Amino acid sequence: MILASLGSAPFAGGIASLLSDNARKRQEIRYRNFLIDFAKYVDARWDDLQRHIDEDFVSSEEFVTVMAEGLEEAGRTADETKLRYLRDYIINSAMLDRPDIKWRDVFKSYLGQLSGTHLVCLQHVFDRQQQVSETDRMGQVRSDDVPISINQFSSRNPGVDETLARLCFGDLANTGLLVDWRSLGNRDGVFQEEYCITGSGLHFMWFMEGKWRMLRD
């Protein structure tokens, strides 16, 4: 009925493809490829991982849910960065040192909202500021790593279009993972051009990098 009403409309072919069995097969292939890559990654690092993994949790229904949620999200993207973060989300959810389900639900929500480019932008700021104190990050004194400007990011990540990066940094600030430095009262700051990572951003990234235990040390 839908295809008949479209007739020879230019989108008809694409819609027909989505409604066909081939679309379901393509998604199944994505699921399979994600699981194969996941298994290879874990197997190659098992000697190290096994010291940190909660094997009882991995055998639980809760972990099955974590896997299913990650797999469902993986079926929606072909972005390699996003897929890597989904893999890490699953693994770090099974660590002996892991946040409780309330924290993980928040992190899952963040991950669901972010594209691979968002994650590249956030990773850049995290790498530069994770060792900077909150006082310095949220203060009014400039340093090499505070704040991070769009120009600085673009010079070190030439593969990311600068206009797209600017949009992604704005999205990350709206999500609460970054903060616009100008909004902290820094009058010499350039609005929507300079950013710092927030406490929420640090918690999310520490979890994604398997460093949750740092918050307990």
Side-chain angles (χ1 to χ4, degrees):
M1 178 69 74
I2 296 175
L3 296 179
S5 66
L6 284 170
S8 60
F11 296 117
I15 293 174
S17 177
L18 289 173
L19 293 175
S20 71
D21 288 340
N22 287 335
R24 187 163 55 251
K25 290 177 181 177
R26 283 196 296 272
Q27 190 173 46
E28 289 173 354
I29 290 172
R30 280 187 180 178
Y31 289 158
R32 184 182 64 190
N33 288 343
F34 179 78
L35 289 173
I36 290 172
D37 289 344
F38 180 89
K40 288 181 178 178
Y41 180 88
V42 171
D43 185 60
R45 293 160 179 80
W46 184 244
D47 287 345
D48 178 60
L49 282 175
Q50 66 179 337
R51 297 184 291 111
H52 305 292
I53 293 292
D54 183 346
E55 295 193 40
D56 290 335
F57 179 77
V58 170
S59 302
S60 71
E61 285 298 317
E62 186 177 350
F63 182 71
V64 172
T65 300
V66 170
M67 280 291 299
E69 291 170 343
L71 192 60
E72 182 179 2
E73 193 69 36
R76 299 192 184 106
T77 183
D79 187 286
E80 290 298 326
T81 300
K82 181 69 175 279
L83 291 170
R84 176 168 55 82
Y85 273 76
L86 289 168
R87 178 201 69 203
D88 291 345
Y89 171 81
I90 293 171
I91 292 172
N92 294 327
S93 292
M95 292 288 185
L96 290 165
D97 285 306
R98 65 179 182 273
D100 64 27
I101 185 63
K102 294 177 182 178
W103 277 100
R104 297 201 310 274
D105 278 349
V106 171
F107 297 152
K108 180 182 67 179
S109 175
Y110 287 149
L111 194 52
Q113 296 175 63
L114 303 178
S115 69
T117 306
H118 286 106
L119 293 164
V120 170
C121 293
L122 183 59
Q123 183 77 57
H124 177 84
V125 183
F126 173 76
D127 288 344
R128 300 299 299 273
Q129 296 185 347
Q130 62 175 308
Q131 300 299 329
V132 179
S133 71
E134 181 178 1
T135 300
D136 290 339
R137 281 187 291 106
M138 301 300 172
Q140 298 185 345
V141 178
R142 289 183 179 273
S143 69
D144 290 342
D145 296 323
V146 177
I148 299 295
S149 69
I150 300 292
N151 288 337
Q152 181 195 63
F153 170 82
S154 295
S155 68
R156 301 188 181 192
N157 296 272
V160 179
D161 179 81
E162 186 171 332
T163 300
L164 178 59
R166 185 169 283 105
L167 290 172
C168 288
F169 271 86
D171 288 344
L172 289 164
N174 290 334
T175 306
L177 297 170
L178 297 181
V179 62
D180 189 316
W181 204 60
R182 178 65 181 264
S183 71
L184 298 174
N186 297 295
R187 294 184 178 181
D188 67 329
V190 182
F191 185 58
Q192 293 186 337
E193 287 288 333
E194 299 175 307
Y195 294 88
C196 290
I197 197 165
T198 64
S200 296
L202 285 175
H203 280 73
F204 174 62
M205 292 302 296
W206 275 326
F207 168 70
M208 293 305 305
E209 294 205 343
K211 298 177 179 177
W212 190 254
R213 62 185 178 276
M214 289 177 59
L215 299 175
R216 300 173 56 182
D217 293 341

